[in-house]
Amino acid sequence: MKPSESRKRYNLNQCALYCCRSKSKLFKLLGTNAREIRDLTKNMNEQYSIFDLEKKGGGTRTVHGPSPLLKRIQKTLYKYLRKVERPSWLISGELGKSVIDNVRPHQFAGDMIKLDISGFFDNCKREPVFQFFHTILRQPGDVASICTELCMLNGAIVQGSPTSMVIAFYANRKMLEELQQLASDFGLVFTVYVDDIAFSCAASFNEDALLSRACQIVRAYGFRVKTKKVREYPLEKPKLLTGIVISKKNTLSVPNRVRRTILDSMTSYRKMDDSNEKEKLRQSMLGMIASAQQIEPGIFNSIRGQLLSDRRKQLVS
């Protein structure tokens, strides 16, 4: 990504998909044809492989990986939507933004509360997605139906598609905007990262009143808040948001769980004899360390140095 790419944004009505009035024009925009679309949509279940992906905050998320052809078309669809201007509080799926950008607005929070919307993708049904293409992007029904099917699986927004996060936003925009207005009414900072909603304030606020109203808004749109995952963080207490800890001193740090995983992996790595398995673990550890160093620059430098040294030795041996 070029450094300036994330700054180039335009209104939704300037998107190439806006007022796309015919299927032939849509096929041209997506670099496909009627036969390919017909074959893809005939049985969408065959177009996906299913696997579990670890979440940064713990647990797993079921992801559907699209076939190469479907992924190419979805990436093209996303290409037309990715540079559309969206609210600054939306972090997930946005060019140039990461989980760190979801945390930084809350870094100097006094009180913070975070919510997790249950079954966010599974409950993003066809109708609001269709209405986004049909009503907001002003596409005729047949064109809007094709765009909708390319983003859906078994009547819900698919997880793992290049279009997943941005389509989930547009399908649920009204709900998220109501939550943002609620935050504004309370004078709070507000961010959205997929199904994680965070509210914070430099001082303190009536968290019970906020939570009650937020749950009402979410229920009104057919969702529910996972009550077991509601987290309230008071003043001067560490806070965990999208896999990053905000310390009592308002610095960002790597969670202990991740630190322990890297250290335990290094212990296992040193005991390994199988070169192929060792290489797999080395690659995994380098990836974990790279993510950790985005949060805390320089952390695990000695381990990283040893892993890279071992790789060089293997290449010249």
Side-chain angles (χ1 to χ4, degrees), residues 10-40:
Y10 46 74
N11 292 331
L12 191 61
N13 61 10
Q14 299 300 308
C15 175
L17 297 170
Y18 187 79
C19 282
C20 177
R21 307 302 298 174
S22 69
K23 290 189 288 186
S24 60
K25 182 179 179 180
L26 177 67
F27 297 152
K28 185 175 181 180
L29 286 172
L30 298 182
T32 186
N33 54 58
R35 180 184 57 80
E36 283 187 342
I37 293 296
R38 184 176 61 251
D39 291 344
L40 284 175

Side-chain angles (χ1 to χ4, degrees), residues 103-148:
V103 177
R104 284 192 177 125
H106 305 281
Q107 186 171 349
F108 297 96
D111 285 4
M112 185 178 84
I113 183 169
K114 66 175 183 178
L115 316 177
D116 190 317
I117 298 178
S118 181
F120 186 63
F121 284 96
D122 291 340
N123 289 303
C124 288
K125 301 304 182 183
R126 186 183 190 280
E127 185 59 21
V129 177
F130 174 79
Q131 288 303 326
F132 164 64
F133 288 109
H134 184 48
T135 304
I136 306 301
L137 286 182
R138 300 183 64 181
Q139 296 177 352
D142 56 349
V143 174
S145 289
I146 292 172
C147 290
T148 300

Side-chain angles (χ1 to χ4, degrees), residues 46-147:
E46 294 181 357
Q47 301 299 324
Y48 290 95
S49 56
I50 303 173
F51 57 95
D52 289 330
L53 189 67
E54 288 190 8
K55 299 169 68 174
K56 288 186 178 292
T60 60
R61 186 190 302 275
T62 300
V63 173
H64 296 77
S67 67
L69 174 59
L70 179 57
K71 186 173 184 178
R72 175 180 64 77
I73 294 172
Q74 289 172 338
K75 286 177 73 172
T76 305
L77 185 66
Y78 171 63
K79 179 185 73 173
Y80 294 117
L81 293 170
R82 67 183 182 181
K83 291 186 182 179
V84 170
E85 187 174 5
R86 281 177 286 275
S88 60
W89 44 260
L90 179 67
I91 309 300
S92 50
E94 292 300 282
L95 285 171
K97 292 185 180 181
S98 68
V99 289
I100 296 177
D101 296 288
N102 190 50
V103 177
R104 284 192 177 125
H106 305 281
Q107 186 171 349
F108 297 96
D111 285 4
M112 185 178 84
I113 183 169
K114 66 175 183 178
L115 316 177
D116 190 317
I117 298 178
S118 181
F120 186 63
F121 284 96
D122 291 340
N123 289 303
C124 288
K125 301 304 182 183
R126 186 183 190 280
E127 185 59 21
V129 177
F130 174 79
Q131 288 303 326
F132 164 64
F133 288 109
H134 184 48
T135 304
I136 306 301
L137 286 182
R138 300 183 64 181
Q139 296 177 352
D142 56 349
V143 174
S145 289
I146 292 172
C147 290

Side-chain angles (χ1 to χ4, degrees), residues 168-235:
F169 165 72
Y170 284 118
N172 298 287
R173 182 169 188 164
K174 290 183 178 179
M175 177 182 72
L176 296 174
E177 287 178 339
E178 283 196 37
L179 290 170
Q180 191 280 328
Q181 184 58 53
L182 175 65
S184 181
D185 292 344
F186 275 72
L188 306 179
V189 174
F190 174 78
T191 60
V192 174
Y193 195 90
V194 192
D195 51 2
D196 288 336
I197 314 296
F199 304 84
S200 73
C201 183
S204 60
F205 59 94
N206 189 333
E207 294 179 347
D208 289 342
L210 175 83
L211 179 59
S212 175
R213 182 67 187 119
C215 288
Q216 289 176 8
I217 292 171
V218 170
R219 285 196 300 269
Y221 286 90
F223 293 91
R224 64 180 180 85
V225 171
K226 292 181 183 176
T227 53
K228 291 183 179 180
K229 289 195 174 183
V230 172
R231 295 291 182 269
E232 298 180 30
Y233 298 101
L235 185 68

